[in-house]
Amino acid sequence: MKKVVVLLFVGLLLFGSMVPKLIAIFSSSDSEAGSVSSISTPAPSAVVSNEPAFKKEGELTFPKIQKKISIEIADNDAETTQGLMYRKSMPDTCGMLFVFPDSQERSFWMKNTYIPLDLLFINSNKEVITIQPNRPPFSEEAIPSYKPAQYVLEVNAGFCQRNGIKQGDKISF
């Protein structure tokens, strides 16, 4: 029993003498002279994200204003259901084009969508029929087309206003 107590006492002394050093290591900044190079945090670019990555699958043009954007295309049930959900950002030069096999009244929502968006509903003649600007993130409110649409384009909120895009404008892709 005496040996166990002595061993515990020695262990506490050793550990106790290390505590101030550990505190100094973890509380010092990288710019201080006493920083330890073996302890580091990953660079922001090294942090793994579960956010879906943008995949450029084509280009869409607004001929009236000669504006081109890169588009990701959602043309099946899985891609249409996923849309831009869980993405935390998107360059202003990008958008997602939903392509449907027919033209009918459509309704979208912003569930699990972090980015405020402009939604452009487009008919089979590739003419913008409805613009739903500045739709707030995470809303489950229905966003209707009001008229039959075969395509829906999602871009960053304010895109249409910044670029002068209006109902009646044509697109090509």
Side-chain angles (χ1 to χ4, degrees):
M1 180 73 167
K2 208 175 201 183
K3 287 183 181 179
V4 171
V5 171
V6 170
L7 287 174
L8 283 173
F9 182 71
V10 170
L12 285 172
L13 283 175
L14 288 173
F15 180 73
S17 67
M18 292 176 60
V19 169
K21 290 180 184 176
L22 290 171
I23 290 171
I25 288 171
F26 287 108
S27 65
S28 66
S29 70
D30 290 340
S31 63
E32 293 177 2
S35 68
V36 177
S37 62
S38 63
I39 298 175
S40 64
T41 57
S45 61
V47 176
V48 177
S49 173
N50 291 335
E51 180 181 350
F54 184 83
K55 297 177 288 187
K56 181 179 177 178
E57 297 176 315
E59 283 189 342
L60 183 141
T61 304
F62 294 91
K64 182 175 121 185
I65 59 170
Q66 295 300 304
K67 175 84 173 175
K68 284 186 181 184
I69 61 169
S70 298
I71 54 171
E72 185 170 342
I73 299 171
D75 59 1
N76 62 47
D77 288 341
E79 293 169 342
T80 300
T81 300
Q82 176 70 36
L84 290 173
M85 290 194 313
Y86 307 110
R87 299 198 191 184
K88 303 229 167 92
S89 65
M90 180 173 62
D92 205 41
T93 56
C94 298
M96 178 170 275
L97 180 67
F98 295 81
V99 178
F100 296 96
D102 60 355
S103 190
Q104 62 179 311
E105 285 193 28
R106 309 240 174 244
S107 184
F108 276 50
W109 64 359
M110 298 288 289
K111 183 177 180 177
N112 298 319
T113 304
Y114 289 76
I115 311 166
L117 299 171
D118 286 354
L119 278 74
L120 292 81
F121 292 91
I122 301 158
N123 67 17
S124 58
N125 295 325
K126 298 183 181 173
E127 178 184 349
V128 177
I129 55 168
T130 305
I131 297 174
Q132 292 277 9
N134 302 308
R135 304 311 298 185
F138 303 109
S139 173
E140 293 186 28
E141 176 188 346
I143 304 169
S145 64
Y146 298 115
K147 299 175 185 173
Q150 187 166 0
Y151 309 98
V152 180
L153 178 64
E154 292 182 341
V155 291
N156 286 323
F159 179 87
C160 292
Q161 183 179 14
R162 284 189 300 279
N163 292 285
I165 296 167
K166 304 199 178 317
Q167 188 174 328
D169 288 355
K170 295 274 192 168
I171 65 160
S172 63
F173 58 90

